[in-house]
Amino acid sequence: MPTRLTTLLPAPRPSRPPSRNDTAGPVAGTARPSRGVPWATALSLALVCFVTYTALSVRLHQRMLTTGYDLGIFEQAVRSYAHGHLPVAELKGPGFPLLGDHFSPVLALLAPLYRVWPTPVTLLVAQAALFAVAVIPLARWAEEVRGRRAALVVGLGYGASWGVAQAVGFDFHEVCFAVPLLGFSLTAVGRGRARAAALWALPLLLVKEDLGLTVAVVGLLIARTGERDDRRTGGALFLAGVLGSFLEMLVVIPAFNPGGTFAYSSSVPGAGSATPGVGELLLHYTVGLVTPDTKAQTVLALLSVTGFLAVRSPLLWAALPTLLWRFASDNQAYWGTGYHYSAVLMPVLFAAFVDVLTRPGPVRYALAASAAVTVLLLPQFPLWQLTQPATWHTDPRLATARRLMDRIPDDATVAASNRLVPQLTNRTRVSVFGLGGSRPDPEWIIDDSAQPQGWPISPDDDRRLLSEVRDNGRYRTVADQDGYVLLQRRP
């Protein structure tokens, strides 16, 4: 039998030989494992999360608060797969091969669904389902070792965690596939099931190029249990993860990229073409990993969701690759709690939390601390929007926007405001109005001049560019209503 991963204190001698399927049993003064219907609690929690995530993300799309960067990009990729082509994203540039940006062939799994329902809502609902599925292994494991109360705290803690909430509230991203894979894999590691852990981890190589390093860490976690078979499995997984990431970043992505490079290496000092000095690199990869304060605040926010107990589990090591590349980057968007970058860390944290709960001792205060943090943080992140009346109010201007977009024919080339892009990606070749590198002289332009988003150009620049386009004589004004301007290129 493999040594339990998290047993740091001496355990009482079992009255019978333990089996590989054993989990931590009841301990004096602690909650007893649930004797109810197997999987009922975990499945119920997953269903609640799925409905919640779907309601938020679909409602944001209905209110035209989703964006071309990133929902539109991923829809263009899935649309390509659905029509039997390698992924192309017009939003990244005319004919841009998306495998030259990130290695995410897992998106092809959505192609059959998209073929039936060719709409960005398909991606949003699929993402909601994938995030919700991760509840199942985490809550089920917690229920087995500490009872239904623990399952509720862990399941709802993960489900309402700020990392998942931020991802659900910001378009669609390929990392939604990684979240359940990590949940199942790390649960299997904690329960001593090496082969299952490896099989759940390997597909991460098809989700995104950096996740191979997370696969490698899962391999180390498997190998450290000590048994010969597990060491072999863990060692093989470690090599597959490291080699997979490096091949994807150094060979596969550059082969597809029009510039022949991995574009994101330039944001990491020492990995790009301009190599800083040794002293600068040393400073960056020591003090620079915890400064400025934003990075430390992100770490505190991550650890707080489990009442800081996750630090007692070696399963937390699986969070290190993601944190290292984020904090090593010069891109400040990676450092904080915004966007979707922390979603993959939530199953890691809660798997580590359950791993700690398997140890003998009372758990009441641990569960209370995690539940308290979940409740305190919830109003600060996107899931709370479901309780706000504004979420369920529809701006009358949106009807005008839809009516004008209906005048754009299918398969036309279009430049649109970032928030209008996902309304058009399922039937046109659309790019973002004002973004450099976009297709020149599109057949149609539609711009929200009344409420510009401020990206990729400032509101003032947006209005200036629109005025220039209207004055140059190449386009005629088809409509100008409620702040939306629709232009058509002259023959």
Side-chain angles (χ1 to χ4, degrees), residues 326-361:
R326 286 174 58 185
F327 292 169
S329 173
D330 287 336
N331 188 339
Q332 297 183 22
Y334 296 158
W335 301 347
T337 58
Y339 306 108
H340 59 287
Y341 301 115
S342 295
V344 296
L345 301 179
M346 295 299 118
V348 178
L349 287 159
F350 281 92
F353 184 38
V354 180
D355 191 35
V356 173
L357 296 181
T358 63
R359 304 176 188 175

Side-chain angles (χ1 to χ4, degrees), residues 61 75 78-79 82-83 110-123 422-428:
H61 183 67
E75 185 182 3
V78 174
R79 186 184 181 196
H83 289 86
L110 298 180
L113 290 174
Y114 188 84
R115 188 74 179 184
V116 178
W117 298 287
T119 165
V121 173
T122 298
L123 276 67
Q423 312 295 324
L424 294 164
T425 40
N426 66 329
R427 63 180 188 86
T428 68

